[in-house]
Amino acid sequence: MLVVCLAAAITARVSRQLPGHVWTWLLLAVFFAVLVPLRLLEVEESVRDSLRAAMRAEGNYSERRDVQGPIVAAIILVAGAGALALLYRTTRNVRGRRNVARVAALVAALAMLFLMTLRMISLHAVDALLYGPVKLNWVIDLGASLTVLGAAVYYTRLVRRQS
């Protein structure tokens, strides 16, 4: 992902696309550059374990659902509102296939952040959905990654054809 996003950024720069195009792909490249060590070092698991340990130390572990539930609800509400706002903005203001590819890649990266946050909070009901028989965790993670990959390749091909 990192290489493909960098290639899209370089293509945008060389083809003299708008600065926002270059920055979008650079931002996504940085996102994936940071994501790799986070996953290799299992930072999500460490954060989740630290949160559990803190709740145990405070004696709140048995009531964790009382804390986790509102947090998960807030995350879902914020993510949903953000998705609706982005959809509204996209349908009203984003024109052209290059811009659609950029927005699709950004939405996919945001979906990955949303998923990471849900995994760290680790509410049992959410975990049952994410890690259950459908493996929604993998579907969202791989689907979002492939969306970024596809959008970057598509963007690069579009821009190179126009040059």
Side-chain angles (χ1 to χ4, degrees):
M1 297 303 157
L2 169 65
V3 173
V4 178
C5 289
L6 280 175
I10 291 168
T11 300
R13 176 76 174 115
V14 169
S15 300
R16 296 188 176 130
Q17 299 297 307
L18 294 171
H21 289 232
V22 177
W23 284 109
T24 297
W25 296 112
L26 284 176
L27 175 69
L28 288 166
V30 168
F31 172 73
F32 284 103
V34 169
L35 190 60
V36 169
L38 287 178
R39 295 232 170 130
L40 290 175
L41 297 172
E42 297 181 349
V43 172
E44 277 184 51
E45 290 80 10
S46 296
V47 169
R48 184 174 43 248
D49 292 343
S50 296
L51 290 171
R52 287 179 181 165
M55 292 187 87
R56 282 187 184 110
E58 294 175 6
N60 296 334
Y61 191 74
S62 60
E63 293 95 27
R64 68 188 179 279
R65 286 180 183 82
D66 296 338
V67 174
Q68 292 170 320
I71 293 172
V72 168
I75 290 169
I76 291 171
L77 285 173
V78 168
L84 288 175
L86 195 56
L87 181 64
Y88 176 76
R89 181 182 179 276
T90 302
T91 57
R92 300 226 29 200
N93 299 327
V94 175
R95 302 283 185 252
R97 295 177 292 176
R98 292 171 302 153
N99 290 324
V100 170
R102 287 176 50 224
V103 169
L106 286 171
V107 168
L110 289 173
M112 292 177 78
L113 284 174
F114 171 68
L115 178 63
M116 288 168 55
T117 306
L118 286 178
R119 287 190 302 226
M120 283 188 275
I121 292 169
S122 184
L123 181 64
H124 178 72
V126 174
D127 288 350
L129 285 173
L130 292 178
Y131 304 111
V134 179
K135 303 293 184 221
L136 200 54
N137 174 52
W138 292 359
V139 171
I140 295 170
D141 207 6
L142 290 173
S145 296
L146 290 174
T147 299
V148 173
L149 174 70
V153 168
Y154 182 67
Y155 178 90
T156 302
R157 293 182 76 195
L158 280 174
V159 171
R160 284 185 181 164
R161 262 193 281 166
Q162 290 177 352
S163 298

